[in-house]
Amino acid sequence: MNALVSSGVVTVFYIFAAALFVLALAGLSNQTTARKGNTLGVVGMVLAVLATVAGLSGEGALVATSSMVAGGVIGALLAARVAMTNMPQLVAVLHSFVGLAAVLVGFASHVAPAGLRGAEAHIHAVELFVGVFVGAITFTGSIVAYGKLQGVLRSKPLLLPGRHALNLVLAVACTGLGISYVISGHDGGTTALIALLLMTALAGFVGWHLVMAIGGADMPVVVSMLNSYSGWAAAAAGFMLGNDLLIVTGALVGSSGAILSYIMCRAMNRSFLSVILGGFGADEGKAPAPSTHLAGPQKDPVAISVEDVAALLRASANIIIVPGYGMAVAQAQHPTRAITDLLRKHGAQVRFAIHPVAGRLPGHMNVLLAEANVPYDIVLEMDEINDDFPTTDTVLVLGANDIVNPSALEDPTSPIAGMPVLHAWNAKNVVVFKRGKGAGYAGIENPLFVKDVTKMCYGDAKSSIDSILRALEHLYPESGKKSGVV
Amino acid sequence: MPLPCIGVPKELWPNERRCAATPDSVQRLKKLGYASVLIERGAGAAAGFSDDSFTQVGASIVDTNTLYKDAAVLLKVRAPDLTEVKRMRAGQLVVSFMYPAQNPELLDALSTQGVTALAMDCVPRITRAQKMDALSSMANVAGYRAIIEAANVFGRLFSGQITAAGKISPAKVLVIGAGVAGLSAAGTAKGMGAIVRAFDTRPAAREQVQSMGAEFLEVTGVHEDGTGTGGYAKEMSQAFIDAEMALFRAQAKDVDIIITTALIPGKPAPKLVLADMVDSMRPGSVIVDLAAEQGGNCAYTKAGEVVTTSNGVSVVGYTDLPSRMAAQTSQLYGTNLCHLLDDMSANKAGDRNFRVDFDDEVVRAATVTKDHAITWPPPKKAAAAPPAPTAAAITSAATVTAITVKHAAAPTKAKAHASHAPSGLPNTAALVIAGVVLLGMGVWAPPAFLAHLIVFMLACFVGYQVVWSVSPALHTPLMSVTNAISGIILVGGLLHASDGLSRLPASTVLGALAILLATINIAGGFLVTQRMLKMFRRGES
């Protein structure tokens, strides 16, 4: 080995890189430091890569550099091209790359003799096996998540008969293969390779099947769970290669993803296990209690025209906008921001209420609103704003459904019973923007739509919002005039 | 099971014009499934609802005896007096204002008679029960009427005008106590063109007062939060009261009209407008004391009367302000009752079934006697939900922030934070098991592995601590950053790529592929995060 620097120096760089990664995550704790955090992450990564490359022999460095340049270009193009509404898909597909890379590293380790004996060899074999297992699950799982988010695959959960038993059998089979792999040792030739390949295939199937069984509405949990897995895969690779930086980074990412999943699950009042085992929304055939006892007899939703919505907004001093995935799909965030600006200029208080699981990624709505230049200090979390609905004149529900469904509180038989929701119905007026008359993502009837305060504005969210914007501009002919708030 | 027969007797209380039902509320009851509604002859007359108007919507007009004999549920406004209780029979149910704390002998009479009684004034002030909150309904109207009464006695216009006949200066109105009634009064006076100021010991009232277009007055030098329970204020410290008195003394010289609405639950109304303040007011000034029934906020107040002081200030102590707008208040009260009866007969299975359900928080709190037993006060519940006066009940379209909104938010936040660090310490069993597993590893595993394990464990804890502080708005950037960072698997690829094509071709090629994928991840992840973060901006304000 004719490395440029000694392994001691490389390790020091690794320490720096690990510290920078921790600081990068800490920087994300609020908006003002977030960009600095990201930069620190980049610096950490550059240090880590430089140190590793400098520690390599000549020939390896060449191969590595060419791969890196190619990968860097592809990654940069992806990042520059992606629309903010497609962010969930991008994140999912990037997770699959980490998973696949972990599998490849595992196989590379397998074919490269490590020259270990006894317990060390066994431990190495276990590490390798676990790394490939987690990597393969991450890979196929992320591909399926991508497919569901992109709309290539149906978002409805696919429920194979006896899927829990199937998962159990597969887990047992993988453990068995693992034991045979460890015993034969990774220098054990074909037996070991076959065991490893077989397990990879099984793990791939498990990843596919796990995510297929999870409904589209649970995607925030799935994506953050896969994020966590990609971390654990990296950590496993770290153990396998005896590389502390990989271990530290993998653990950071793994615990971060796990916490995010936990936060999302809590936001939906469901246990992590029930989300992972899937099947949510499958019991939609079961009729929820015939309306709620508060709503009285079944009524039809009342429609409202865009002109009336504009007039309503003009007469409102306090407005809350509740965005959901529908806003993302319709790309309605830009006209929404224009309306917000117009109303704010004329003295109304306009705020956004973000439910933790709105959209398909944790924090998805925040990113979209930020893209549309909505200032983040009027974008509030559920807990911050939920008590303000009774004093709100008008609530606009933009392509959201389950997160404003009162049956979560009122109807104990509802599949979303107990899930914290935005109490939009406490406002004086609620306008729901909706494409058609169907139920929400989770397939649950929404009694909000038939409440006395609620009006429905049917149609594509973007064109509706556009028309409202035009109508409002008409209502505010000269901007010098003070608002017409009563 | 058919729903019980409803009976609405005529109110016996002197000068009580309200009626517990209106043709409109009878229609609602019918819709809810209460097929039979009996109205005592002439019950609605004082409120402007003729017997005919009731029969037109399907109610039966009956005499007193038939009513008490046939009705299973009696709806009243005022608490039943002892002669009315005598007419009732065991098992009958009566709903009205009761004020159980002030009327212990009424509770005794009702329980001896075996009558189940629900007090509308005991309906808890929680969100779900807002539609049954008759106190707020009445207070809202009382606040409006207080201004009307003041305007009636006041010899001048409210709004300022410059006319050919000279300048009219606007009336200045001071509202003390910005509860539902106070806010309603402030909004009404503002709507009539007066200059309105309001005072309240609860800081949360500031926004609500301002939203009505009134000026919020504050005492100087003393900071104290007067927020009590149930949307009421608590008693304040002596220092605060002194400062408050100084403020009122100064205001009394300046304003034309004072509306006082200060009540502390279960205690006589605090004396806030003292004799010397009234004496310092200009002749022709008016004080309307909405707390007259509880002893009054003003030293001169006589319940039910208008007192004119020696310097020509009128102190209005009417205790029947809601009753003076009987058509409106009957309508509101009737609707509150409909909502209560709706709740009491709601059934998950769809068919309606009337019952006094003690598992229902609202019904439990309102029920003061049941089956020969006094059930008041209800057992204390752990920290009842903070009260919110019915914002919807305020007539003006302007907004009123629910009184304790800010304070309600605080504990929820604190709770959220507490649960953010869910049990920093795992339970003992888990620790023991982990210890045994680690011991086993220590015996068997090589030291290098254990060193890595230490690093791994510590990194997990660091990640756990750091990530909890990430703001939810940044969860997507967090994910794409961690995603980019997990591209560190690149290092694994690098180590293998260095195996060399000639020496170990398979491992090198696999490593190179891994590098390619991981770099896509790193570049993509960091760049897209950068793109996202650039978009977050603070508002101009």
Side-chain angles (χ1 to χ4, degrees):
Chain A
M1 288 249 177
N2 48 350
L4 287 173
V5 289
S6 73
S7 73
V9 175
V10 170
T11 309
V12 169
F13 272 89
Y14 282 178
I15 293 171
F16 268 119
L20 286 168
F21 289 153
V22 172
L23 290 175
L25 295 190
L28 283 173
S29 61
N30 85 52
Q31 276 96 338
T32 48
T33 55
R35 260 183 268 180
K36 206 171 116 201
N38 192 42
T39 315
L40 290 177
V42 175
V43 173
M45 187 59 77
V46 168
L47 282 184
V49 172
L50 281 183
T52 316
V53 172
L56 295 179
S57 56
E59 189 195 358
L62 185 71
V63 174
T65 318
S66 45
S67 300
M68 275 194 285
V69 170
V73 171
I74 297 173
L77 283 178
L78 274 181
R81 293 257 174 97
V82 68
M84 280 302 146
T85 40
N86 291 333
M87 190 61 63
Q89 291 92 307
L90 178 74
V91 171
V93 88
L94 289 179
H95 286 152
S96 78
F97 289 164
V98 177
L100 188 54
V103 172
L104 292 174
V105 170
F107 274 92
S109 275
H110 175 79
V111 293
L116 299 170
R117 308 234 166 285
E120 285 198 354
H122 285 152
I123 287 219
H124 182 73
V126 172
E127 290 161 356
L128 195 157
F129 197 81
V130 170
V132 171
F133 178 74
V134 178
I137 289 186
T138 314
F139 174 57
T140 52
S142 302
I143 293 286
V144 174
Y146 168 79
K148 286 198 171 194
L149 290 165
Q150 184 70 31
V152 181
L153 296 172
R154 272 170 12 111
S155 74
K156 277 249 175 82
L158 169 87
L159 301 177
L160 298 180
R163 60 189 205 279
H164 297 316
L166 184 65
N167 283 338
L168 199 66
V169 168
L170 289 174
V172 170
C174 286
T175 316
L177 286 170
I179 292 170
S180 101
Y181 178 77
V182 170
I183 289 173
S184 63
H186 80 68
D187 300 326
T190 2
T191 335
L193 186 61
I194 286 172
L196 191 60
L197 279 171
L198 207 56
M199 179 278 288
T200 312
L202 288 183
F205 177 78
V206 170
W208 173 83
H209 171 236
L210 266 181
V211 181
M212 279 307 275
I214 298 174
D218 281 344
M219 275 306 146
V221 183
V222 173
V223 175
S224 56
M225 175 189 89
L226 292 168
N227 182 32
S228 171
Y229 286 176
S230 71
W232 302 132
F239 275 105
M240 156 168 90
L241 297 168
N243 185 309
D244 279 337
L245 180 62
L246 272 177
I247 295 175
V248 170
T249 316
L252 283 179
V253 174
S255 46
S256 147
I259 292 167
L260 279 183
S261 312
Y262 171 73
I263 292 174
M264 295 300 116
C265 288
R266 202 177 50 185
M268 295 192 289
N269 192 35
R270 313 203 12 236
S271 78
F272 186 68
L273 209 60
S274 75
V275 172
I276 296 311
L277 293 180
F280 185 57
D283 44 355
E284 65 200 88
K286 230 184 279 167
S291 82
T292 69
H293 59 282
L294 298 176
Q298 193 66 51
K299 288 177 285 189
D300 276 335
V302 182
I304 186 171
S305 70
V306 287
E307 290 76 19
D308 292 346
V309 177
L312 185 63
L313 287 175
R314 190 185 189 277
S316 302
N318 246 308
I319 298 161
I320 294 179
I321 301 176
V322 180
Y325 189 54
M327 181 188 81
V329 173
Q331 290 277 341
Q333 67 269 35
H334 294 281
T336 305
R337 192 262 308 163
I339 287 187
T340 307
D341 286 352
L342 192 65
L343 291 168
R344 269 159 60 92
K345 200 169 81 189
H346 289 87
Q349 186 190 26
V350 185
R351 292 176 298 171
F352 288 81
I354 309 293
H355 191 278
V357 295
R360 293 290 174 272
L361 265 191
H364 192 191
M365 291 299 122
N366 299 86
V367 169
L368 291 181
L369 293 174
E371 185 208 8
N373 265 333
V374 174
Y376 61 73
D377 45 7
I378 63 165
V379 179
L380 302 178
E381 288 167 51
M382 177 166 69
D383 289 346
E384 293 173 327
I385 205 165
N386 229 352
D387 294 322
D388 293 355
F389 280 107
T391 59
T392 300
D393 298 310
T394 303
V395 173
L396 301 182
V397 178
L398 256 183
N401 190 341
D402 299 330
I403 59 172
V404 288
N405 192 334
S407 54
L409 303 183
E410 293 167 356
D411 178 4
T413 62
S414 165
I416 57 166
M419 163 170 154
V421 289
L422 287 158
H423 301 175
W425 57 88
N426 288 336
K428 296 188 191 96
N429 298 287
V430 179
V431 179
V432 179
F433 294 82
K434 207 165 175 308
R435 197 182 286 271
K437 300 196 180 185
Y441 217 118
I444 304 157
E445 287 297 324
N446 193 337
L448 171 69
F449 300 163
V450 294
K451 294 228 178 226
D452 290 338
V453 292
T454 309
K455 305 276 184 300
M456 307 296 292
C457 188
Y458 292 113
D460 174 69
K462 180 157 191 296
S463 58
S464 300
I465 294 285
D466 275 334
S467 319
I468 291 169
L469 180 60
R470 277 193 298 278
L472 265 180
E473 278 164 351
H474 192 67
L475 287 176
Y476 290 122
E478 286 310 317
S479 51
K481 251 172 93 180
K482 189 73 188 102
S483 87
V485 168
V486 260
Chain B
M1 198 178 93
L3 292 177
C5 172
I6 307 268
V8 180
K10 193 170 152 58
E11 295 297 319
L12 297 183
W13 190 266
N15 288 328
E16 180 55 69
R17 299 175 193 82
R18 286 172 291 178
C19 174
T22 65
D24 204 52
S25 76
V26 169
Q27 261 176 332
R28 283 183 87 121
L29 287 172
K30 294 237 160 196
K31 245 184 227 156
L32 291 175
Y34 291 91
S36 156
V37 180
L38 310 178
I39 309 277
E40 186 177 342
R41 197 174 308 283
F49 304 112
S50 67
D51 289 348
D52 281 351
S53 64
F54 281 113
T55 43
Q56 270 161 24
V57 293
S60 318
I61 302 297
V62 296
D63 61 29
T64 318
N65 288 333
T66 323
L67 182 102
Y68 279 94
K69 189 161 66 66
D70 290 350
V73 175
L74 295 168
L75 303 183
K76 277 187 57 54
V77 180
R78 291 275 177 172
D81 65 16
L82 297 180
T83 62
E84 284 173 307
V85 176
K86 286 267 159 53
R87 285 191 176 135
M88 296 175 193
R89 54 185 156 80
Q92 227 167 9
L93 188 132
V94 60
V95 188
S96 75
F97 286 112
M98 300 272 176
Y99 300 100
Q102 285 89 338
N103 289 324
E105 67 286 353
L106 170 67
L107 296 192
D108 287 340
L110 285 166
S111 62
T112 322
Q113 201 80 1
V115 176
T116 300
L118 271 72
M120 286 304 276
D121 47 290
C122 294
V123 166
R125 294 184 124 173
I126 56 176
T127 311
R128 182 166 77 78
Q130 276 191 18
K131 56 192 167 124
M132 311 165 207
D133 186 355
L135 284 180
S136 288
S137 303
M138 297 302 119
N140 177 27
V141 175
Y144 170 88
R145 185 71 187 197
I147 293 294
I148 302 299
E149 294 295 343
N152 192 25
V153 180
F154 189 55
R156 296 199 282 117
L157 290 185
F158 267 37
S159 59
Q161 293 173 10
I162 311 270
T163 73
K167 185 182 159 210
I168 303 172
S169 30
K172 290 178 187 163
V173 178
L174 171 66
V175 177
I176 299 175
V180 178
L183 289 173
S184 164
T188 308
K190 187 73 194 168
M192 289 167 69
I195 295 173
V196 185
R197 299 159 190 169
F199 175 84
D200 199 288
T201 55
R202 298 159 303 141
R206 163 190 289 278
E207 262 183 22
Q208 302 156 19
V209 164
Q210 287 168 347
S211 74
M212 304 304 286
E215 183 192 346
F216 186 69
L217 298 178
E218 274 174 303
V219 300
T220 43
V222 188
H223 291 285
E224 197 175 332
D225 184 347
T227 309
T229 54
Y232 290 99
K234 65 172 170 58
E235 275 189 297
M236 308 298 287
S237 72
Q238 192 55 44
F240 187 91
I241 291 172
D242 292 345
E244 189 183 63
M245 287 301 149
L247 173 77
F248 294 161
R249 203 158 274 129
Q251 286 292 326
K253 293 192 182 76
D254 189 39
V255 301
D256 302 300
I257 292 167
I258 299 180
I259 311 288
T260 65
T261 72
L263 285 178
I264 293 176
K267 299 209 167 153
K271 285 275 178 283
L272 299 173
V273 182
L274 307 181
D276 70 295
M277 300 181 197
V278 182
D279 295 340
S280 75
M281 289 177 81
R282 281 189 294 271
S285 299
V286 185
I287 296 173
V288 180
D289 193 339
L290 284 170
E293 202 158 8
Q294 281 75 31
N297 294 133
C298 173
Y300 285 103
T301 301
K302 279 207 182 109
E305 289 178 35
V306 180
V307 178
T308 308
T309 64
S310 51
N311 69 327
V313 176
S314 306
V315 182
V316 180
Y318 294 146
T319 56
D320 60 345
L321 291 174
S323 172
R324 283 167 180 252
M325 311 211 71
Q328 187 65 66
T329 41
S330 300
Q331 179 56 40
L332 294 171
Y333 183 68
T335 309
N336 289 142
L337 288 174
C338 285
H339 286 143
L340 177 69
L341 292 176
D342 184 14
D343 252 29
M344 293 179 71
S345 62
N347 195 316
K348 300 266 154 58
D351 59 325
R352 289 182 165 267
N353 189 1
F354 186 86
R355 69 210 177 287
V356 180
D357 179 5
F358 269 19
D359 290 335
D360 181 329
E361 189 187 350
V362 176
V363 173
R364 177 63 195 91
T367 307
V368 293
T369 64
K370 190 185 181 197
D371 309 331
H372 296 286
I374 294 179
T375 54
W376 184 89
K380 283 250 186 303
K381 275 232 176 139
T390 42
I394 309 290
T395 41
S396 161
T399 49
V400 184
T401 316
I403 280 184
T404 45
V405 161
K406 291 284 175 270
H407 297 268
T412 345
K413 271 243 127 167
K415 221 169 73 197
H417 276 293
S419 58
H420 262 200
S423 63
L425 300 171
N427 62 42
T428 335
L431 272 179
V432 169
I433 293 173
V436 170
V437 170
L438 282 175
L439 263 180
M441 278 189 178
V443 172
W444 177 65
F449 174 78
L450 291 175
H452 289 319
L453 197 62
I454 289 176
V455 171
F456 177 74
M457 296 300 292
L458 291 179
C460 282
F461 279 107
V462 170
Y464 180 85
Q465 293 297 339
V466 168
V467 171
W468 270 119
S469 65
V470 172
S471 133
L474 290 171
H475 279 164
T476 296
L478 170 71
M479 237 152 76
S480 63
V481 147
T482 51
N483 181 49
I485 291 178
S486 67
I488 195 71
I489 190 90
L490 168 72
V491 170
L494 283 173
L495 294 178
H496 279 297
S498 71
D499 290 340
L501 270 175
S502 44
R503 205 159 57 86
L504 272 171
S507 136
T508 310
V509 167
L510 288 173
L513 268 177
I515 292 173
L516 179 76
L517 291 169
T519 334
I520 295 179
N521 206 43
I522 293 170
F526 278 124
L527 285 172
V528 93
T529 312
Q530 193 65 19
R531 245 185 89 190
M532 272 190 268
L533 292 177
K534 249 189 221 154
M535 298 178 315
F536 282 96
R537 67 171 182 118
R538 189 191 287 279
E540 301 82 351
S541 48

